[in-house]
Amino acid sequence: MSYICTLFLIVLNKVQVRLSEVEENNRVVITKVLGHGSFRRRISEMGFVTGKEVLVLKNAPLFDPVEYQLLGYNVSLRRAEAELIEVITIAEALDLAVPTFDGTIDMEALKISAKEKSKTILIALAGNPNCGKTTLFNRVTNSKEHVGNYSGVTVDSKIASFQHRGYTLNLVDLPGTYSLTSFSPEELFTRNYIIEETPDIVLNVIDASNLERNLFLTTQLIDMDIKVVLALNMYDDLITSGAKLNQKKLGNLLGIPIIPTTASRGEGLNELFDEIIEVYEERNPVVRHIHINYGEELEQSIKAIRTEIKEDKPITAKLSSRYLALRLLDNDPAALETLKTSTNFNHINEVVQQEIARLKSRWNEDSSSLITNAKYGFISGALRETFKAGVQWRYAITGKIDRLVTHRILGFPIFLLFMFLTFFATFTLGSFPMVWINQGVAFLGDMIKSSMPPGMFKDLLTDGVINGLGSIIIFLPNILILFFFTSLMEDTGYMARAAFIMDKLMHKIGLHGRSFIPMVMGFGCNVPAIMATRTIRNRGDRLLTMLIIPFMSCSARLPVYIVLISAFFPNSPALILTGLYLLGITMAIIMAKILNRTLFRRKETPFVMELPPYRMPIMRNTLVHMWDKARQYLQKIGGTILIAVIIIWALEYFPRTKNIDPANPTSVTATQPGHSIYNQTQIENSYLGSIGHAMEPIIAPLGMDWRMGICLLAGIPAKEIVVSTMGVLYQTGKDDQKSKELLPEVLRAQEYYIGPKAGQKVFNQAVALAFLVFVLLYFPCIAVIATIKRESGSWKWALFTVVYTTGFAWIFSFITYRIALLFI
């Protein structure tokens, strides 16, 4: 019995191998059969099922096919087919077995373990944007993926695991997509994942309040002949509207079990995953493969193409021949690429073109339209038998709100009002916890100063770590407030309206409204915003959007804004902050216009984007999103920023300056360290001071001193480091009675101690504005540049972004400073 338990644990943790990888004269046990429906049925009928022992006999002379012994008879499989069968080998299990092994090989125990290993289910979530797919994923896996009530939020797959009824469920959240064609990155990504990774179940999440449109994707999954379970999500909306749906009858018509769910509240999810297990174990009587009837002419074309495709068995092992035929008739280039390895590829292509031409002459309409019309005809027929519409109250309310917020004249002012209110709340509400956190930081610093003996380590803690990190951590409440309001706008569906009202402006610069969504996401963080450009179909539009996103003012810049605006514009903080964000948008528009006339050829791209119904935001989701951002912010402070602060402190601490005479800063006397003039001279003569003075000729025309140059340089890894660097450079050695001052107060009091400007203020409103503009316009951080390189596939565009944004920053900072001097 102990051997069985040991073997069970070994098998559970063993990496799966494919039958095609097993060498001759080895025995294995099947754990799972992959592939599409017809292949699975055929292979199962031959005895290739979970728990069965297989002996690899020999390879054919050209190593394909391979002969196997199964259930007492010999059978041959091509390697491409054997690759779709997962197995465990006896040799692998015995290699890892513990000394309790009693000397005999218990094959029944091995078969039992193989069946237990098959209790790992790979589930792919597929569905339209806004159907609640990611909400469902977060709910069952306790993940914190961002949920937005507009398309393009999920642009990559996310995977998480959880246990249910003794099964390990691996859940993969695929990008939201309306179909499985290959005309956009998210469509191609989703389709390729389903084909290449062969998930055990595809969980098709649909919006219950919009069945007809959502079921179009379902018909394409039906064509693929794979195991599907349908989650009828947002079921509460359907019930509230008074609609009636016979989901059991609809499930029978589709051959797919349907489970009502409300993912935002966790309703129906246990039943959903119970059903998934039933389907996986092939115990559900509803599941069957159906053929959607496309009409006599189309069916004739499908049959002719299928006949040619089925000549190549390895391809049909992974993909349904009927599905491939439909994709070819739909002029799908990816399907044609899949078949290029077929021995009769040219003949297949010839037959496809003949059938497309025949359908065109018969119906005077292209085959793609015929397929789409047939699918919607099938959906309409199924819903006519099972669905009775209720009152579309949510869409009625949405229409009334949209008449105001998307109004031709009022729409843009309303958008600006929402931005202004968001920034006003960020400043006003955030000011109270800022003071409390600063008092806590000051208390901690005073405690360390009074309890530790003088020395370098004490200076590092007080002047470096506490001043540096304390200067940035006090802005955590402001970050949370900003994300709270932006999350509300996203979750309600207003952000999609912002894209709608901005479409005309986007169109003027050669883009369209869909580009505005990544730009708005850039207000949170530029990295996911650049990744979100994957939803833009045209490569030129996508590159252009990537290059202008760095002008979107990310949350990392917010602490810099708050410090300088609080210090020098206390009477109009929201107005200045709104102006900075609008300046970023304006600069993006200007740069897009320039790039469109130079590097990119303007292409007309139709604006097709869903305007989802308004939904009441789920406060739990909003708070989880806020906490996730707070956690990321704190991790950044404890990682990148802490390292940067220590490096900056060390650069300004060494080499040590001898004591000086306050009356004559150039002479050496017995004046003690701690005096303000000593500390300023120490910084000036440090390694950091040398770097700053080398930069000074570049930034002096902008009204900035060398320490501001150091702050801008320090902001390259992350913009929050700008503030922590200010905390080190401007607060080092400050008088004890001022230890509880906020950084804005310290900056206002800064004066030049030596030189021709001695006694003058370091900062004024003109200098502050120039500094703010520079921080806004030069590239956000190294992570953004790396993301542009990865998403564009070239360092050329990444380096171009560094050069042009920094150049723009200097030019407009100079203009801002000179104009501001005329009025200040």
Side-chain angles (χ1 to χ4, degrees):
M1 185 65 185
S2 62
Y3 167 67
I4 294 174
C5 295
T6 301
L7 192 55
F8 171 68
L9 291 173
I10 291 170
V11 172
L12 276 182
N13 292 285
K14 187 65 184 171
V15 176
Q16 292 284 12
V17 296
R18 302 297 173 94
L19 183 57
S20 59
E21 301 168 5
V22 182
E23 296 181 358
E24 293 180 2
N25 301 315
N26 276 314
R27 292 183 182 274
V28 293
V29 177
I30 298 169
T31 59
K32 189 178 291 185
V33 178
L34 307 173
H36 78 289
S38 60
F39 168 78
R40 289 167 66 106
R41 285 192 296 273
R42 179 167 61 87
I43 213 79
S44 298
E45 289 167 358
M46 295 168 64
F48 288 89
V49 294
T50 301
K52 294 300 180 184
E53 177 189 344
V54 179
L55 172 63
V56 183
L57 294 175
K58 61 178 180 292
N59 291 288
L62 296 178
F63 296 96
D64 201 8
V66 183
E67 186 177 357
Y68 302 97
Q69 188 178 85
L70 172 75
L71 298 176
Y73 75 100
N74 295 358
V75 60
S76 66
L77 288 180
R78 291 177 182 265
R79 286 190 176 275
E81 296 173 329
E83 190 182 355
L84 296 173
I85 301 173
E86 290 185 350
V87 297
I88 54 171
T89 67
I90 298 168
E92 288 171 332
L94 293 180
D95 284 344
L96 297 173
V98 294
T100 54
F101 175 59
D102 62 7
T104 62
I105 300 174
D106 189 343
M107 285 305 300
E108 290 306 312
L110 183 58
K111 293 174 184 179
I112 290 170
S113 297
K115 288 184 177 180
E116 291 296 331
K117 180 64 179 177
S118 70
K119 295 182 114 176
T120 299
I121 307 175
L122 179 61
I123 305 165
L125 271 73
N128 290 187
N130 309 311
C131 68
K133 182 169 52 63
T134 302
T135 301
L136 189 152
F137 177 85
N138 289 344
R139 189 81 189 197
V140 298
T141 63
N142 293 318
S143 299
K144 299 179 180 65
E145 296 303 330
H146 182 41
V147 179
N149 192 11
Y150 54 90
S151 64
V153 176
T154 308
V155 292
D156 205 346
S157 63
K158 310 292 188 302
I159 185 166
S161 298
F162 65 102
Q163 300 292 319
H164 186 79
R165 310 285 193 231
Y167 288 77
T168 299
L169 305 184
N170 295 325
L171 204 57
V172 180
D173 183 19
L174 297 174
T177 178
Y178 295 107
S179 72
L180 295 178
T181 58
S182 58
F183 299 110
S184 72
E186 69 268 26
E187 292 172 354
L188 192 57
F189 183 95
T190 299
R191 188 173 82 177
N192 286 344
Y193 183 90
I194 293 172
I195 292 171
E196 294 168 11
E197 301 300 325
T198 56
D200 299 303
I201 303 287
V202 172
L203 176 53
N204 181 202
V205 184
I206 68 171
D207 179 356
S209 65
N210 200 336
L211 291 173
E212 190 165 7
R213 190 205 64 205
N214 279 247
L215 285 172
F216 184 82
L217 178 63
T218 309
T219 64
Q220 293 182 321
L221 295 172
I222 290 171
D223 290 336
M224 295 181 82
D225 192 8
I226 54 180
K227 287 184 177 179
V228 179
V229 174
L230 198 150
L232 190 65
N233 200 30
M234 305 180 192
Y235 189 66
D236 54 336
D237 286 355
L238 187 144
I239 297 299
T240 305
S241 70
K244 302 291 183 184
L245 175 68
N246 187 337
Q247 63 258 21
K248 184 176 181 181
K249 185 175 181 181
L250 180 60
N252 284 325
L253 290 173
L254 299 176
I256 298 173
I258 300 175
I259 307 297
T261 63
T262 302
S264 59
R265 297 204 292 260
E267 295 174 2
L269 298 184
N270 282 331
E271 294 82 355
L272 175 65
F273 290 102
D274 287 346
E275 196 69 32
I276 284 174
I277 292 170
E278 291 295 303
V279 172
Y280 174 73
E281 297 290 0
E282 300 183 345
R283 296 193 293 255
N284 190 297
V286 173
V287 177
R288 73 188 196 287
H289 178 58
I290 66 167
H291 282 179
I292 296 171
N293 189 341
Y294 289 97
E296 185 178 346
E297 297 292 337
L298 263 173
E299 289 293 340
Q300 182 181 327
S301 296
I302 293 168
K303 183 178 180 182
I305 298 170
R306 285 185 72 190
T307 302
E308 299 300 326
I309 292 173
K310 286 200 283 189
E311 292 293 322
D312 198 335
K313 296 294 183 187
I315 286 178
T316 56
K318 259 196 168 183
L319 280 166
S320 162
S321 58
R322 181 178 176 85
Y323 171 73
L324 280 171
L326 282 162
R327 298 311 317 137
L328 291 171
L329 286 171
D330 202 16
N331 290 301
D332 190 325
L336 203 61
E337 189 68 27
T338 301
L339 291 166
K340 276 195 172 177
T341 56
S342 297
T343 54
N344 60 335
F345 170 74
N346 291 332
H347 191 53
I348 292 173
N349 194 27
E350 185 181 326
V351 172
V352 170
Q353 298 309 317
Q354 287 174 356
E355 292 302 322
I356 289 174
R358 186 183 68 82
L359 291 168
K360 178 75 172 177
S361 64
R362 175 72 178 82
W363 295 104
N364 195 28
E365 196 168 0
D366 62 84
S367 51
S368 295
S369 298
L370 292 173
I371 291 171
T372 301
N373 292 339
K375 284 183 180 294
Y376 276 113
F378 169 79
I379 294 168
S380 296
L383 292 179
R384 195 177 299 117
E385 294 186 37
T386 59
F387 179 67
K388 182 180 179 182
V391 179
Q392 295 292 317
W393 62 273
R394 189 179 295 280
Y395 285 93
I397 294 173
T398 292
K400 292 177 181 178
I401 298 173
D402 276 350
R403 278 195 285 273
L404 178 64
V405 300
T406 63
H407 190 272
R408 185 169 56 89
I409 298 173
L410 299 177
F412 199 74
I414 290 172
F415 173 64
L416 294 179
L417 176 63
F418 283 150
M419 286 184 65
F420 179 83
L421 291 175
T422 297
F423 300 140
F424 181 78
T426 300
F427 266 97
T428 306
L429 299 180
S431 62
F432 301 105
M434 271 181 64
V435 173
W436 303 332
I437 295 174
N438 187 71
Q439 289 173 347
V441 170
F443 174 78
L444 178 62
D446 292 343
M447 186 175 65
I448 292 176
K449 282 180 180 178
S450 61
S451 60
M452 285 185 68
M456 187 174 69
F457 186 63
K458 177 183 177 181
D459 293 340
L460 170 63
L461 286 181
T462 56
D463 296 336
V465 175
I466 293 178
N467 278 348
L469 297 189
S471 299
I472 187 69
I473 200 171
I474 64 173
F475 300 107
L476 178 60
N478 304 88
I479 298 290
L480 291 178
I481 293 168
L482 179 66
F483 275 111
F484 175 78
F485 281 96
T486 54
S487 292
L488 287 182
M489 287 191 284
E490 290 169 357
D491 294 346
T492 55
Y494 177 72
M495 281 301 187
R497 274 70 189 179
F500 177 80
I501 63 176
M502 292 295 291
D503 174 56
K504 188 170 184 179
L505 187 58
M506 295 291 101
H507 184 77
K508 292 285 186 185
I509 62 174
L511 294 175
H512 56 83
R514 185 179 276 270
S515 296
F516 188 66
I517 292 300
M519 290 170 68
V520 171
M521 291 176 70
F523 290 148
C525 178
N526 286 180
V527 171
I530 290 168
M531 294 172 65
T533 61
R534 296 175 190 175
T535 62
I536 301 171
R537 297 184 177 186
N538 180 272
R539 175 168 170 78
D541 285 347
R542 189 177 172 213
L543 275 173
L544 180 53
T545 307
M546 268 190 267
L547 294 177
I548 64 176
I549 279 175
F551 289 130
M552 299 298 101
S553 194
C554 64
S555 60
R557 294 165 165 127
L558 185 63
V560 186
Y561 300 160
I562 292 173
V563 166
L564 290 171
I565 292 173
S566 300
F568 302 103
F569 307 97
N571 297 325
S572 53
L575 186 62
I576 298 295
L577 189 57
T578 303
L580 282 170
Y581 277 75
L582 291 178
L583 176 61
I585 295 173
T586 304
M587 290 304 304
I589 292 170
I590 292 171
M591 192 61 200
K593 194 75 173 176
I594 294 171
L595 290 175
N596 249 325
R597 290 179 178 272
T598 53
L599 299 180
F600 300 100
R601 294 290 179 188
R602 177 171 174 172
K603 278 191 174 183
E604 288 294 329
T605 308
F607 177 55
V608 180
M609 182 178 173
E610 179 187 3
L611 292 179
Y614 290 101
R615 300 187 187 280
M616 186 65 67
I618 306 298
M619 195 54 62
R620 175 185 177 275
N621 293 345
T622 302
L623 293 176
V624 165
H625 185 218
M626 281 177 59
W627 164 244
D628 190 44
K629 292 299 177 183
R631 181 179 55 81
Q632 292 175 20
Y633 189 71
L634 292 172
Q635 285 175 344
K636 204 172 185 181
I637 290 174
T640 307
I641 297 174
L642 175 60
I643 294 170
V645 161
I646 293 173
I647 292 172
I648 291 165
W649 173 85
L651 289 173
E652 64 88 20
Y653 194 78
F654 297 104
R656 300 302 292 159
T657 300
K658 296 179 181 179
N659 298 337
I660 60 173
D661 181 357
N664 185 6
T666 60
S667 66
V668 178
T669 68
T671 301
Q672 294 297 313
H675 193 284
S676 58
I677 295 180
Y678 172 86
N679 291 318
Q680 291 296 324
T681 305
Q682 163 60 39
I683 296 173
E684 294 240 9
N685 295 329
S686 68
Y687 296 123
L688 198 63
S690 300
I691 297 171
H693 285 299
M695 294 177 59
E696 198 162 26
I698 300 172
I699 60 173
L702 312 180
M704 302 181 195
D705 77 335
W706 62 270
R707 284 174 294 185
M708 295 181 212
I710 291 294
C711 292
L712 294 173
L713 189 65
I716 290 175
K719 284 295 170 283
E720 295 96 338
I721 300 176
V722 172
V723 174
S724 57
T725 305
M726 285 181 172
V728 173
L729 290 179
Y730 290 107
Q731 297 200 81
T732 297
K734 63 186 179 182
D735 297 336
D736 288 341
Q737 64 266 27
K738 294 183 180 179
S739 64
K740 291 183 173 59
E741 287 183 353
L742 289 166
L743 184 55
E745 297 168 342
V746 174
L747 295 182
R748 275 199 301 270
Q750 284 296 312
E751 294 180 351
Y752 290 101
Y753 283 84
I754 57 177
K757 292 185 178 181
Q760 294 182 28
K761 294 291 185 184
V762 173
F763 282 92
N764 56 39
Q765 289 185 324
V767 174
L769 281 174
F771 192 86
L772 287 170
V773 169
F774 203 104
V775 170
L776 166 70
L777 297 182
Y778 85 114
F779 64 98
C781 62
I782 291 296
V784 166
I785 302 306
T787 306
I788 290 175
K789 185 269 173 186
R790 186 176 68 247
E791 295 297 316
S792 67
S794 171
W795 274 111
K796 175 181 72 175
W797 297 113
L799 295 176
F800 174 72
T801 304
V802 172
V803 173
Y804 98 81
T805 56
T806 306
F808 263 44
W810 193 96
I811 292 169
F812 281 89
S813 184
F814 177 81
I815 293 171
T816 301
Y817 177 64
R818 294 302 167 184
I819 293 176
L821 285 178
L822 299 176
F823 299 97
I824 297 173

